[in-house]
Amino acid sequence: VNRISSTKIGANGNVGRILIENLSEHPDYSPVAMVRKESQAEELKNKGVSTVIADLEENFGHAFQGMDKVIFAAGSGAKTGKDKTDLVDKKGAIRSVDFSIKYGVRKFIMLSSRGAENAEKADETMQHYLLAKKAADEYLKSTNLPYAIVRPGALTNGPATGKIKIANIFNEKGDISRKDVAAVLIHMLDHGIDGTQVFEILSGKVEIEDAVRLYLKTGQEVT
């Protein structure tokens, strides 16, 4: 099995912790978790996970050296202000794309958000956040870097179902568990999924692998 080194940016966040746990148990990957603090690194090292200490708001290019693929799942969080959102969700993501190109990363997986496509139409409480996500997404699209932009609905702490619905843009409300989002992000690392992909995901009834395959083949909503 071809083992792939993958940097996970935002490894201490809610989705990030699930990602690192699942990637560390995956036979195909050797994950490296990017964290800001030595205490966070020690906790992960005790679980057998490799780490790199770096801060999205400072110089973090060293985290990309030797990495094959990158998952960007960092987020400023709901309790921070607009400045922090710009620093992490927009500038941090854009700089991550630049470093990925510089160090020859083969694929970049971006955890975005449903609504980013039409961020200008969002209500005032979400608009700045979604505009930041959109800016990062559009920057990634403008590069020659192979990518997947995954836009989940409202995140829950529900169980892993392994099943989703997927579309370019949904015309319905919906949510999805963080565990299922993590599973989709990991699936998009698969060496058999080439090129570029952008889609929204919600909880559904179709197995993740089947849903992604059908969507990428047809371009049609899979529910």
Side-chain angles (χ1 to χ4, degrees), residues 143-170:
T143 71
N144 293 321
L145 186 64
Y147 63 80
I149 297 173
V150 180
R151 294 170 167 166
L155 301 178
T156 74
N157 290 320
T161 69
K163 298 180 180 180
I164 59 170
K165 58 175 65 173
I166 181 171
N168 179 33
I169 297 178
F170 284 109

Side-chain angles (χ1 to χ4, degrees), residues 2-7 23-24 26-33 50 67:
N2 183 26
R3 293 180 66 80
I4 296 175
S5 296
S6 172
T7 291
L23 278 170
S24 66
H26 199 291
D28 294 350
Y29 303 113
S30 299
V32 178
S50 298
M67 295 299 112

Side-chain angles (χ1 to χ4, degrees), residues 10 24 77 79 89 102 143 154 163 184 189-190 198:
S24 66
K79 297 180 181 179
D89 297 277
K102 178 179 180 179
T143 71
K163 298 180 180 180
V184 172
L189 290 170
D190 193 299
V198 186

